[in-house]
Amino acid sequence: MSVLVFIEGDDELSLQALTLAESLGEARAVRCEGPYAPSAWAAALVEAAGGDDIVGPGSDRGNEVLAHVAAQLDLPFAANVTEVRGDELTRIRWGGTLLEEARIHADRRLLTAAPFAFAASNTVLQATVLAPNLGDAVTVVEHVAPETGGISLADAKVVVSGGRGVGSAEGFAILEELAALLEGAVGCSRVVTSAGWRPHTDQVGQTGTKVSPDLYIACGISGATQHIAGCKGAKKLLAINDDPEATIFTHADYAVVGNLHEIVPAISAELRKVRGA
Ligand SMILES: Cc1cc2nc3c(=O)[nH]c(=O)nc-3n(C[C@H](O)[C@H](O)[C@H](O)COP(=O)(O)OP(=O)(O)OC[C@H]3O[C@@H](n4cnc5c(N)ncnc54)[C@H](O)[C@@H]3O)c2cc1C
């Protein structure tokens, strides 16, 4: 059986999707070039797949493009699967709080791999490049890159993230400083974006970006399920919170109980000292 796997590049989530595809059959990888247009990209995948199953990464784009594929083929789509057994599968729902057992009522499977449910494939990636036909439906006027200081949240090796405890938009200056010293990016909780302290592009969580850095530093974040859904891919989590009972500590590898407004500048000062700057 042959499986078409849609990849975005050689990023972690795409390689995890490749692992899932390889477990289902002979996988052939494709990626799309040109401006992002989910409907046009989906049409290109539908054509390339013939009658094969289609697997994608559990990223925002992976899920969006596969949803368009499903609509165009009038077939069911299972997002964020963790295991596939023929036409039965297990998938993650509700921001990671629920594991659902489901059956696909169709001849073909359209799936995305739940982030970090599969190891990244080490197959040497040779993807066919598709050039989706945008037609008249999409005219790209301008691309506006988010202000991330150069390192995107999704790709950063270190994310310094702030929650309500930061207290204000100006309060993020000390997080920016630490992130710059660690060559990382700044993230935040939804409370912060709702308050208008940071743009939505900085939000980590169920309705924000899913990050998988080597180190996630959560400052003044309580650890709500919807936030953890976005940072549980981090290899290590350092939590700074002045409430010793905060839920975030149950997810932390390292915990500092105290006021972030004292601790974060102290870490930056120590880093400068160690580096002799
Ligand atoms: C459908 C849905 C989707 C959602 N999606 C998301 C999402 O994508 N991302 C997300 O983040 N949330 C999301 N939420 C919201 C989520 O439920 C929480 O409300 C939110 O994550 C809480 O943000 P917070 O931790 O910053 O604030 P709080 O829960 O208020 O926590 C603030 C923390 O800061 C600590 N603190 C205060 N002052 C200091 C200080 N000086 N020093 C150190 N610590 C201090 C406090 O002890 C507390 O633990 C969603 C909710 C719903 C219903």
Side-chain angles (χ1 to χ4, degrees), residues 68-240:
H68 278 270
V69 167
Q72 289 175 21
L73 292 173
D74 197 19
L75 287 174
F77 160 45
N80 293 318
V81 308
T82 60
E83 200 186 331
V84 181
R85 305 166 298 278
D87 63 351
E88 293 186 354
L89 54 85
T90 307
R91 63 174 172 161
I92 295 179
R93 303 207 58 193
W94 292 30
T97 56
L98 180 75
L99 279 179
E100 182 183 83
E101 305 286 330
R103 172 169 291 133
I104 301 169
H105 297 276
D107 296 338
R108 293 172 68 185
R109 294 171 292 190
L110 308 179
L111 313 168
T112 55
F116 303 95
F118 302 90
S121 171
N122 47 26
T123 305
V124 178
L125 200 54
Q126 283 180 322
T128 303
V129 179
L130 307 178
N133 178 7
L134 302 188
D136 298 331
V138 179
T139 309
V140 179
V141 179
E142 187 188 6
H143 277 289
V144 182
E147 290 173 26
T148 58
I151 301 165
S152 87
L153 193 53
D155 296 335
K157 295 285 178 214
V158 178
V159 174
V160 183
S161 207
R164 193 198 302 270
V166 175
S168 65
E170 296 72 33
F172 272 84
I174 54 174
L175 276 68
E176 297 270 12
E177 184 191 19
L178 180 57
L181 282 166
L182 296 171
E183 294 178 10
V186 171
C188 67
S189 71
R190 191 170 86 166
V191 164
V192 168
T193 53
S194 300
W197 299 346
R198 306 287 300 184
H200 181 75
T201 45
D202 283 2
Q203 184 177 313
V204 172
Q206 182 183 327
T207 46
T209 302
K210 315 272 186 299
V211 298
S212 49
D214 292 338
L215 177 63
Y216 188 79
I217 306 178
C219 310
I221 293 175
S222 60
T225 315
Q226 296 90 349
H227 187 82
I228 299 300
C231 62
K232 64 185 174 195
K235 294 194 180 68
K236 296 285 178 197
L237 193 152
L238 160 63
I240 302 169

